[in-house]
Amino acid sequence: MAHPLESSYNWRAPVGVATIGLIVCVGVLYNGRVAGWLTVALLLVVLWLLFLGIVWLRTRAYMMVDGPILRVRRFRHFQELDGRRVARVAEIRTPNGPSYHVWLHGDQTRYLVPAALLKRGHSTLFDWVLTWSPRAELDRGSLRTIDELRTRGLLE
């Protein structure tokens, strides 16, 4: 039975630092009670909530390989990609490292595979691509990643 990959995104540290920073800032504002301090404190809370939302979305990354089917989720919806239909793979840069867009034959939709947010995400993705669609078109970044994974012994 296939299992989803584990998240590599460390959400605890940034959330902890942001929360402590929020508490300190609101405490300083409360103690100073300068005109408009409540508005600034509310703005800080709204920014903190926005930050928590972004962190939560990053933790939603999901990838699971079950034979020729790759199941991914970036934010809300699951998508199943058939490895026998992969036409092209292209690397995209994200703040956490490279992730990939995948296109299927007969489908104009671009699917995002959030490999950078998952442990063993890169090796799992390229093992799946090379196994089920060895003739897929790979961009320069994808080829460089494959070479690096082979050098490290993470890909055959």
Side-chain angles (χ1 to χ4, degrees):
M1 171 127 190
H3 298 285
L5 297 181
E6 184 180 338
S7 176
S8 67
Y9 183 66
N10 177 16
W11 60 270
R12 290 171 186 87
V15 167
V17 169
T19 303
I20 291 169
L22 174 70
I23 292 168
V24 168
C25 289
V26 170
V28 167
L29 288 169
Y30 178 76
N31 285 334
R33 294 193 195 168
V34 178
W37 74 271
L38 186 58
T39 304
V40 174
L42 289 175
L43 178 64
L44 287 174
V45 170
V46 168
L47 290 174
W48 177 74
L49 289 172
L50 181 65
F51 175 73
L52 288 182
I54 291 169
V55 168
W56 179 75
L57 287 175
R58 285 184 178 174
T59 63
R60 305 272 300 153
Y62 178 94
M63 182 165 69
M64 182 179 71
V65 174
D66 190 12
I69 304 299
L70 175 70
R71 188 173 183 153
V72 295
R73 174 182 65 206
R74 173 68 174 152
F75 296 125
R76 287 182 39 190
H77 303 289
F78 286 99
Q79 299 165 328
E80 291 188 353
L81 312 177
D82 188 344
R84 298 165 289 205
R85 294 185 51 221
V86 174
R88 184 164 60 118
V89 177
E91 179 180 287
I92 58 167
R93 290 300 199 184
T94 67
N96 297 85
S99 286
Y100 300 90
H101 283 143
V102 175
W103 287 267
L104 303 178
H105 287 290
D107 188 354
Q108 298 300 322
T109 307
R110 176 179 65 187
Y111 299 96
L112 177 65
V113 179
L117 296 173
L118 301 163
K119 290 182 181 177
R120 297 184 332 269
H122 296 95
S123 57
T124 301
L125 171 66
F126 286 112
D127 184 43
W128 175 76
V129 168
L130 295 173
T131 300
W132 295 102
S133 191
R135 294 190 186 128
E137 179 186 334
L138 304 171
D139 71 334
R140 191 178 332 164
S142 299
L143 292 172
R144 187 172 42 248
T145 302
I146 289 173
D147 288 340
E148 188 174 324
L149 289 170
R150 285 183 173 148
T151 301
R152 292 181 179 178
L154 299 173
L155 193 63
E156 297 177 11

